[in-house]
Amino acid sequence: MHAPDRPDWPFLAEMPHGRSELQRQIVEGDPFLGLLGLRFCDATADAATLAVAYRADLTQPTGILHGGLHSILIDTAIAQALLTTIRPGFSVVTVRLDTNYFAPVRSGRIVAGARVVRKGKRLAHGEAVVTDEREQGVAQGGGVFAVVGA
């Protein structure tokens, strides 16, 4: 359902000018995401890209980047994709997140490219693919988000 002319519809028809820079400031100013080193790369309407660099303190005892970090990256990237067209007064919160892992990461940087799959008045869906520096898929995930606010 697409009803941008209804005041209770939480999404705009287009991404507002300056929204990408606002999202960058929010992500990079978040203390938790900052501890992990997450970086906002880019956003366009219904899509966002975030990245994080390998660090030894973010690994399992075997030296592999912890899978939880992949999930945080996927969750945050999907949320940012949804927020590209959210109306003021609304936000999204995760209600379900699924992550599938394909390959271990032992160095470099991983990047999550997320896109919106469906937007509804109360629930929205998105998906993300995580790649390594060779652009090989290392994980993918999908999420369901509650639309909250106004």
Side-chain angles (χ1 to χ4, degrees), residues 5-149:
D5 56 333
R6 291 180 44 192
D8 62 340
W9 184 251
F11 294 98
L12 301 166
E14 296 180 7
M15 182 175 171
H17 177 72
R19 177 66 60 94
S20 181
E21 186 54 36
L22 175 62
Q23 288 180 244
R24 176 185 312 283
Q25 292 171 8
I26 291 169
V27 169
E28 296 192 359
D30 183 280
F32 176 68
L33 300 178
L35 284 173
L36 300 174
L38 259 70
R39 292 287 173 248
F40 182 92
C41 299
D42 190 32
T44 57
D46 297 333
T49 306
L50 281 79
V52 66
Y54 177 95
R55 291 187 346 222
D57 63 327
L58 299 175
T59 65
Q60 300 177 4
T62 59
I64 296 169
L65 199 60
H66 195 286
L69 188 60
H70 296 64
S71 291
I72 292 167
L73 188 61
I74 288 167
D75 180 52
T76 306
I78 295 170
Q80 291 304 311
L82 288 164
L83 293 174
T84 61
T85 59
I86 201 89
R87 283 186 188 276
F90 289 93
S91 191
V92 295
V93 294
T94 312
V95 295
R96 180 181 174 139
L97 183 69
D98 294 312
T99 305
N100 299 304
Y101 303 93
F102 306 133
V105 176
R106 293 185 172 88
S107 65
R109 181 174 96 135
I110 57 173
V111 177
R115 72 177 190 90
V116 174
V117 174
R118 179 189 174 277
K119 293 187 257 187
K121 184 176 174 183
R122 292 191 176 89
L123 292 176
H125 300 78
E127 61 186 15
V129 174
V130 180
T131 57
D132 62 15
E133 289 185 326
R134 298 175 323 227
E135 297 186 14
Q136 299 296 308
V138 296
Q140 76 174 24
V144 180
F145 291 72
V147 178
V148 296

